[in-house]
């Protein structure tokens, strides 16, 4: 049911539960192989040109790879889904006790900037961590200030440098780029033009 689905999504996003990824894939597509086919189809639709998936959970495979640019595109598309955004922004999630687990289970987001235990940064909303011994650390972070939302992807990092690099990139983005709504500005300009334009000949004949 819906409760089970929420638990699985939180286990995937917060705790990087590999078995939850496989379970969700089988539930969605019947098999993990068919789900991976859907993953590769989707990234092509998003315009990703440097990525190819083999596993549902990102565990190492020589033919499983992704670029930072593609990961940013994937993250942008995912953030348009309200459920994904809600889960990815949560610092923790509690699974209530069951007949198999009388104590319940607390799931924690491993992203230190989301947990706000270290590397506090104004505007951070959520993100996702990842790690394998061959790929090193992976970190996706999205932060918003005003109308401007940035997505930062850091790959092949080690230790705390992954957060230090992320902060540097966020600082660069917020300090050097601004979000502009051209059509909104154009509407304001057009309204001003209407207010200060001389009457047309038709209006003059009516007066």
């Amino acid at each position: 049911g819906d409760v089970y689905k929420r638990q699985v999504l939180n286990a995937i996003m917060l705790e990087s539960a590999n078995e939850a990824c496989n379970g969700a894939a089988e539930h969605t597509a019947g098999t993990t192989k068919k789900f991976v086919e859907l993953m590769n189809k989707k990234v092509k639709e998003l315009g990703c040109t440097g990525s190819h998936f083999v596993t549902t959970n990102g565990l190492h495979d020589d033919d499983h790879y992704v670029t930072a640019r593609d990961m940013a595109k994937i993250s942008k598309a995912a953030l348009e889904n309200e459920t994904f955004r809600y889960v990815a922004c949560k610092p923790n999630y509690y699974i209530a006790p069951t007949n198999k687990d009388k104590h319940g289970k607390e799931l924690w987001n491993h992203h230190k900037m989301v947990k706000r235990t270290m590397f506090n940064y104004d505007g951070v909303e959520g993100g996702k961590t990842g790690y394998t011994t061959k790929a090193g650390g992976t970190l996706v972070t999205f932060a918003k200030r005003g109308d401007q939302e940035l997505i930062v992807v850091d790959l092949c990092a080690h230790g705390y440098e992954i957060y230090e690099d992320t902060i540097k990139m966020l600082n660069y983005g917020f300090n050097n780029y601004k979000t502009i709504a051209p059509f909104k500005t154009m509407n304001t300009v057009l309204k001003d033009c209407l207010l200060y334009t001389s009457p047309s000949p038709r209006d003059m004949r009516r007066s």
Side-chain angles (χ1 to χ4, degrees), residues 133-164:
T133 53
K134 291 194 175 184
T138 300
L139 191 69
V140 177
T141 308
F142 35 97
K144 187 174 184 179
R145 292 180 179 176
D147 293 330
Q148 186 175 29
E149 185 171 43
L150 303 180
I151 298 172
V152 168
V153 180
D154 195 3
L155 305 179
C156 305
H158 298 278
Y160 289 152
E161 71 178 20
I162 200 167
Y163 293 99
E164 295 166 353

Side-chain angles (χ1 to χ4, degrees), residues 28-44:
T28 303
T31 66
T32 56
K33 182 178 180 180
K34 289 183 179 179
F35 187 81
V36 169
E37 291 175 356
L38 293 177
M39 292 169 64
N40 286 313
K41 179 182 177 182
K42 185 63 178 181
V43 294
K44 287 183 179 179

Side-chain angles (χ1 to χ4, degrees), residues 6-85:
R6 284 199 298 271
Q7 292 176 352
V8 171
L9 288 174
N10 279 277
I12 292 171
M13 290 303 299
L14 304 187
E15 291 282 358
S16 299
N18 297 320
E19 68 281 9
C21 293
N22 289 332
E26 291 173 356
H27 176 78
T28 303
T31 66
T32 56
K33 182 178 180 180
K34 289 183 179 179
F35 187 81
V36 169
E37 291 175 356
L38 293 177
M39 292 169 64
N40 286 313
K41 179 182 177 182
K42 185 63 178 181
V43 294
K44 287 183 179 179
E45 293 174 355
L46 295 176
C48 299
T49 57
S51 303
H52 181 261
F53 300 124
V54 176
T55 69
T56 66
N57 46 35
L59 292 180
H60 179 75
D61 186 289
D62 287 342
D63 202 29
H64 185 107
Y65 51 86
V66 65
T67 66
R69 183 182 182 88
D70 285 355
M71 182 58 74
K73 289 183 178 180
I74 295 168
S75 300
K76 181 178 182 295
L79 285 170
E80 294 174 1
N81 182 291
E82 293 183 4
T83 301
F84 174 88
R85 181 181 285 273

